[in-house]
Amino acid sequence: MSSNKTELTLPTLAGVREARERNAGHVVRTPLVRVPAWSRSSTAEHVENLAADVRGDGKPLEIYLKLENLQHTGCFKARAAFNALLSADSETCRRHGVITASTGNFGQALAWCAQQVGIPCTIVVSNRSAEAKVAKIRQHGASVIRVTYDQWWEMVSNRRFPGHEEKLFMHPSFDLANMEGNGTIALEILEDLPEVDAVLAPFGGGGICTAIGAVMKELRPECKVYPVELETARQVHAAYEAGRPVDCDLTPSFIDCMGGRAVLPEIWPLAQAVSERPLTVSLNDAVRGMQTVALATNSIAEGAAGATAAAALKGLAGAGGGKVVAIVSGGNINLEDLALALHGQVPPVRTAECGES
């Protein structure tokens, strides 16, 4: 029962509001925290006097962090997973179960949600996925299948996994119900910071950037939404340069949930319509961003969240000033990698054996 590719549309404001009602009681309304100047300058040595950054119109830079790492499963994906699961045909889900391909965060969220409502769940992960994420998937009662990155990418692209066709496939990034859940983040940002000038989000599959961008276009079109990507995986940049999704060079890194071989064609026209050209940071920048989140919020940021915070800290959005919100997308990371990052070191790439567990 794996779903085939269908034409994808932008989430509507009505759909996002319905998702918020549907998810009530299941997901956390996360806080928006302003980053104090002292924590910004203490770890971003390569950025001079961030507190004094002023753009041409005299608007100072104010950085805020949307702490999605405080969700039940440590990532914003809980919003998407619950809305997608509660929107699906419950009889079909209970009879055959659900399946997804995930780098770990959506897998955790879907496993947790499925456990709450008694639905069998299978998560296919890449052998590059962080063990901390995979362990939590198992703790939530889901079956885990580890495959090579190439096999995982094929599943993401084709929405099917051999031998499991009867299960309902849920895309980890950009099915409509998934994006409607992600769009609730934008509603909360606008409630807490109505005059927001820019929102920065990590680009993995593109669902969160597109969902937030769609809501902002309706409610605050002045706000620019920027995808953030890594120097080691510039799939959005490659698509902009070519005018269409194309294969790009992909260097594996400890940040397993950002970047891919290419922007998937279903999401490209939608993301392009509601977001800006991408902002690019290095792995060292991401580590500094992780340090800043720890200092400013006393919470853990995984690499993708650190990369997004770093783009804000470097003043890459717009003209470098204004009220900028960075989505701290998650906090699921191996303890060994966290320790290295907090000491200013880029963690190594880790891989695991393939197989079912």
Side-chain angles (χ1 to χ4, degrees):
M1 184 134 339
S2 297
S3 60
N4 296 320
K5 292 183 181 180
T6 57
E7 184 177 355
L8 189 65
T9 60
L10 284 170
T12 65
L13 193 54
V16 172
R17 286 172 171 158
E18 288 175 7
R20 187 175 191 177
E21 293 180 7
R22 191 176 290 118
N23 283 351
H26 297 297
V27 303
V28 176
R29 191 197 188 288
T30 55
L32 188 68
V33 177
R34 184 170 178 180
V35 180
W38 62 264
S39 64
R40 289 156 52 191
S41 60
S42 60
T43 59
E45 299 91 347
H46 63 307
V47 182
E48 295 182 1
N49 197 17
L50 277 170
D53 273 354
V54 176
R55 65 186 192 184
D57 59 6
K59 207 168 187 179
L61 175 63
E62 298 176 19
I63 298 174
Y64 298 81
L65 303 176
K66 180 64 170 167
L67 299 183
E68 289 296 299
N69 56 337
L70 301 184
Q71 287 292 347
H72 294 301
T73 59
C75 178
F76 75 95
K77 295 284 190 177
R79 297 176 185 266
F82 244 120
N83 191 56
L85 199 57
L86 296 178
S87 300
D89 182 275
S90 59
E91 184 178 348
T92 299
C93 291
R94 291 181 192 283
R95 183 182 303 164
H96 300 288
V98 295
I99 189 169
T100 193
S102 171
T103 55
N105 280 331
F106 185 73
Q108 283 184 71
L110 185 62
W112 180 70
C113 296
Q115 186 180 56
Q116 303 302 304
V117 296
I119 292 175
C121 182
T122 301
I123 310 297
V124 179
V125 300
S126 160
N127 61 344
R128 300 175 189 171
S129 296
E131 183 55 40
K133 298 177 181 180
V134 177
K136 289 182 180 179
I137 291 172
R138 294 193 185 99
Q139 289 170 10
H140 295 315
S143 299
V144 175
I145 303 174
R146 273 196 186 269
V147 297
T148 65
Y149 180 82
D150 289 344
Q151 292 171 313
W152 179 87
W153 181 256
E154 183 177 352
M155 185 180 178
V156 172
S157 301
N158 297 327
R159 297 171 174 256
R160 62 182 300 275
F161 189 70
H164 295 261
E165 288 84 359
E166 78 284 356
K167 297 179 174 67
L168 180 64
F169 178 81
M170 293 193 163
H171 200 280
S173 296
F174 55 70
D175 282 337
L176 182 58
N178 187 313
M179 289 197 293
E180 288 170 342
N182 290 339
T184 62
I185 297 172
L187 297 180
E188 294 177 12
I189 291 173
L190 288 169
E191 289 170 355
D192 293 342
L193 192 66
E195 296 180 353
V196 59
D197 294 302
V199 177
L200 281 56
F203 197 99
I208 186 172
C209 293
T210 304
I212 291 176
V215 173
M216 289 300 178
K217 285 289 185 184
E218 291 290 329
L219 297 179
R220 184 164 171 78
E222 308 96 315
C223 177
K224 298 182 182 299
V225 177
Y226 292 91
V228 177
E229 59 184 2
L230 298 167
E231 290 179 350
T232 53
R234 302 184 69 192
Q235 58 179 351
V236 189
H237 173 82
Y240 267 104
E241 290 299 302
R244 58 183 175 83
V246 293
D247 287 343
C248 68
D249 292 332
L250 174 64
T251 303
S253 76
F254 80 100
I255 303 177
D256 56 4
C257 56
M258 287 181 75
R261 288 180 174 175
V263 178
L264 291 173
E266 302 99 308
I267 198 70
W268 168 244
L270 306 184
Q272 191 179 26
V274 297
S275 62
E276 306 299 314
R277 292 180 72 94
L279 309 178
T280 305
V281 298
S282 68
L283 293 176
N284 282 317
D285 290 331
V287 164
R288 294 188 184 100
M290 294 168 69
Q291 292 174 317
T292 299
V293 172
L295 287 168
T297 71
N298 294 318
S299 68
I300 296 172
E302 61 185 78
T308 306
L313 290 166
K314 295 183 73 173
L316 299 182
K323 301 179 189 297
V324 177
V325 173
I327 307 297
V328 181
S329 51
N332 297 312
I333 184 171
N334 295 333
L335 290 179
E336 302 92 330
D337 292 347
L338 176 64
L340 288 171
L342 293 180
H343 282 89
Q345 301 175 47
V346 175
V349 178
R350 305 180 192 274
T351 59
E353 296 294 324
C354 298
E356 186 165 355
S357 61

